Amino acid sequence: MAIWERQYDVLADVLADRGIDVEEVKAKLKAQVIELPSWAVGNSGTRYGVFREDGAARHIWDKIEDCAEIQRVVGVCPVMASHVLWDVTDDGRYEPVRDYAAERGLGIGAVHPNTFMGQQFRLGSICSPDKQVRQSTIDHLVDCVRITREMGSKVIGMWLADGTNYPGQDHLRTRKQRLFEGFKALYDAMDDDMILAIEYKYFEPGFYTTDLMDWGMSYMLCSRLGDRAKVLVDVGHHPPNANIEHIVSILLDEGKLGGFHLNDRKYGDDDLMAGTVNPLQLFLIYDQLVDAAQDPATEVDNVIYMLDQSHNVEPSIEGIIQSLMYTQTAYAKALAVERDTLGAAQNAGDVILANRTIMDAYELDIQPLLKQVRVEMGRHPDPIIAYREGGYARKINDERVGAGIGALGG
Ligand code: AFD
Ligand code: MN
Ligand code: MN
């Protein structure tokens, strides 16, 4: 018996002793779904350059292969999120993408339009002062409804890079009105069963204003658009020290949380592997989600979870696998919180006991439970080991001659 198996037996007893149903926890971990970003398996980089990776995905078909390999070793990512800018097909048809992904065991998740890469977007897309740019962007957004439909997806994930760099550059209220007009055109064009997940970001590429800058703006927009518009929280898109778990609790309570772009950051939108810099924050976000899931009045089943990361110094596929493992860890620890003890302590105003209860779960070594879950899912207990032993990296290096292209076309 491996050491981790003995640790699992003890951990299962510890959790049972705390009133946690271990089988229920394992079932929830097996049901977890995290969408893989097609744009993260190709080469990506920063504005200072792209470090090309041998074997990097060269096109959408390679991306599907890479995502299928990640799903083979991890098991909680049977969906690939797509970015229409980089997932183009030769003939502009997307059913083949859906069909090939399905052949490889993947569904297509959120589809992301392009409103930021192109010379025409210099002064913005739907907020641009140039009417022609605004209209051509709206035409693209409406075409993304077709693409989403053809890919068999029901979610459009929209990030707006629009902003200004200088005071006085443009009329701020007019830009807000253009923004709403653009989003309304998209919202009205969507099929009745589609959801629009609206992402915000407090700065970059705009350095003086960003038109869709924070959760309040996204929430206001979603509220004005309708029930099928929800807020998309990208963990890296907040000012330093923002309390993201608090924002998540508000959006959950309002029924306006659409989903997440998961990553981590130290300073800006660093797009680092999720759970690597601030694992406590990721755990506290999942704590809000697990708490809400136990409240019949709060809808969490349709919240979508995507990675949105840029792997510049680590191998992309390994970076994604490790991010998934850290995200599983955060979720597993949140499931190990003794909710009854926590609730009683909160209601009694017992600050110390309430905090200790949360931190007791965070400080558990939950890895033996995750290894057990993976084995019960028919997988190696450590996906990174499984990936490295499987020889996929060597295979794609040999097959994909020359560096691939990717999010930045590097
Ligand atoms: C960049 C943006 C935003 C967007 C992602 C994919 O900051 O997070 O969701 O690219 O387009 O990271
Ligand atoms: Mn994002
Ligand atoms: Mn980002």
Side-chain angles (χ1 to χ4, degrees):
M1 177 184 260
I3 292 176
W4 74 261
E5 291 174 293
R6 298 207 304 266
Q7 289 174 311
Y8 168 67
D9 288 344
V10 172
L11 178 59
D13 288 347
V14 166
L15 293 175
D17 187 51
R18 294 183 179 188
I20 306 279
D21 181 333
V22 177
E23 291 310 313
E24 188 182 300
V25 168
K26 289 194 289 182
K28 286 179 177 168
L29 289 167
K30 292 171 186 173
Q32 189 175 15
V33 174
I34 303 168
E35 298 190 10
L36 298 172
S38 67
W39 57 93
V41 287
N43 282 319
S44 58
T46 70
R47 60 179 172 165
Y48 306 105
V50 175
F51 295 112
R52 296 168 184 269
E53 209 180 325
D54 289 342
R58 299 158 299 183
H59 40 60
I60 181 63
W61 318 112
D62 282 350
K63 294 176 187 178
I64 290 170
E65 289 294 344
D66 291 355
C67 289
E69 169 64 6
I70 295 166
Q71 167 60 0
R72 180 184 72 83
V73 295
V74 180
V76 295
C77 42
V79 181
M80 182 184 79
S82 177
H83 216 300
V84 299
L85 175 67
W86 301 302
D87 296 349
V88 294
T89 57
D90 296 339
D91 59 6
R93 289 178 54 248
Y94 287 85
E95 290 96 339
V97 173
R98 177 199 61 205
D99 296 345
Y100 188 64
E103 269 176 47
R104 307 293 290 112
L106 298 170
I108 301 295
V111 174
H112 299 70
N114 168 43
T115 60
F116 53 93
M117 282 188 93
Q119 294 304 306
Q120 72 273 29
F121 296 133
R122 186 186 192 97
L123 298 179
S125 62
I126 57 174
C127 299
S128 169
D130 183 329
K131 185 172 173 42
Q132 173 54 38
V133 171
R134 297 200 300 272
Q135 187 53 57
S136 65
T137 306
I138 288 172
D139 295 344
H140 168 67
L141 297 181
V142 171
D143 191 41
C144 285
V145 174
R146 168 189 67 88
I147 295 172
T148 303
R149 189 186 308 125
E150 289 185 4
M151 289 230 251
S153 173
K154 299 295 180 196
V155 180
I156 295 177
M158 175 81 166
W159 170 59
L160 198 69
D162 293 30
T164 64
N165 274 9
Y166 296 100
Q169 177 184 328
D170 200 349
H171 190 269
L172 298 182
R173 284 186 293 114
T174 304
R175 289 183 72 93
K176 172 177 172 290
Q177 292 152 15
R178 293 172 192 154
L179 181 144
F180 180 73
E181 284 161 22
F183 271 97
K184 183 152 181 9
L186 170 54
Y187 188 85
D188 291 346
M190 290 198 308
D191 294 350
D192 291 344
D193 59 355
M194 286 184 182
I195 294 286
L196 176 58
I198 299 179
E199 188 177 356
Y200 56 88
K201 182 173 178 180
Y202 77 113
F203 91 106
E204 190 191 43
F207 291 109
Y208 175 66
T209 63
T210 294
D211 294 294
L212 187 35
M213 85 298 270
D214 65 11
W215 74 270
M217 181 67 181
S218 179
Y219 175 78
M220 181 273 292
L221 185 57
C222 291
S223 300
R224 286 180 63 183
L225 287 172
D227 292 343
R228 291 180 295 116
K230 306 260 187 174
V231 179
L232 180 64
V233 177
D234 184 308
V235 173
H237 285 192
H238 303 80
N241 301 326
N243 188 324
I244 301 174
E245 62 270 23
H246 188 195
I247 295 168
V248 168
S249 72
I250 293 166
L251 294 173
L252 278 168
D253 206 51
E254 290 296 319
K256 275 295 185 184
L257 178 66
F260 293 90
H261 275 181
L262 299 168
N263 49 60
D264 212 339
R265 47 74 69 85
K266 185 70 180 175
Y267 299 102
D269 183 25
D270 309 335
D271 279 345
L272 300 175
M273 294 188 282
T276 49
V277 178
N278 192 344
L280 176 61
Q281 173 179 270
L282 188 58
F283 160 74
L284 292 172
I285 289 170
Y286 269 96
D287 171 55
Q288 289 301 319
L289 292 158
V290 169
D291 173 72
Q294 297 183 357
D295 172 4
T298 307
E299 195 279 314
V300 291
D301 292 342
N302 295 319
V303 173
I304 53 175
Y305 303 84
M306 291 172 256
L307 296 184
D308 176 17
Q309 300 173 166
S310 183
H311 302 283
N312 303 325
V313 297
E314 71 276 12
S316 298
I317 291 177
E318 291 195 358
I320 292 171
I321 292 171
Q322 193 60 57
S323 301
L324 292 165
M325 294 171 71
Y326 288 140
T327 303
Q328 288 178 299
T329 299
Y331 184 34
K333 290 184 173 183
L335 291 169
V337 171
E338 292 175 77
R339 301 250 161 233
D340 293 344
T341 306
L342 179 62
Q346 289 170 339
N347 293 334
D350 188 336
V351 173
I352 295 297
L353 180 58
N355 176 255
R356 280 167 58 104
T357 304
I358 279 282
M359 294 310 290
D360 276 353
Y362 177 66
E363 285 164 355
L364 277 175
D365 174 7
I366 210 79
Q367 295 313 318
L369 177 85
L370 286 166
K371 291 180 190 281
Q372 179 64 22
V373 163
R374 295 185 185 113
V375 166
E376 291 179 12
M377 292 174 77
R379 286 170 171 82
H380 188 287
D382 184 333
I384 287 284
I385 304 299
Y387 173 71
R388 290 186 173 186
E389 289 176 351
Y392 186 79
R394 192 170 41 255
K395 172 176 170 293
I396 57 177
N397 285 7
D398 295 344
E399 285 173 4
R400 301 174 187 174
V401 179
I405 58 166
L408 298 181

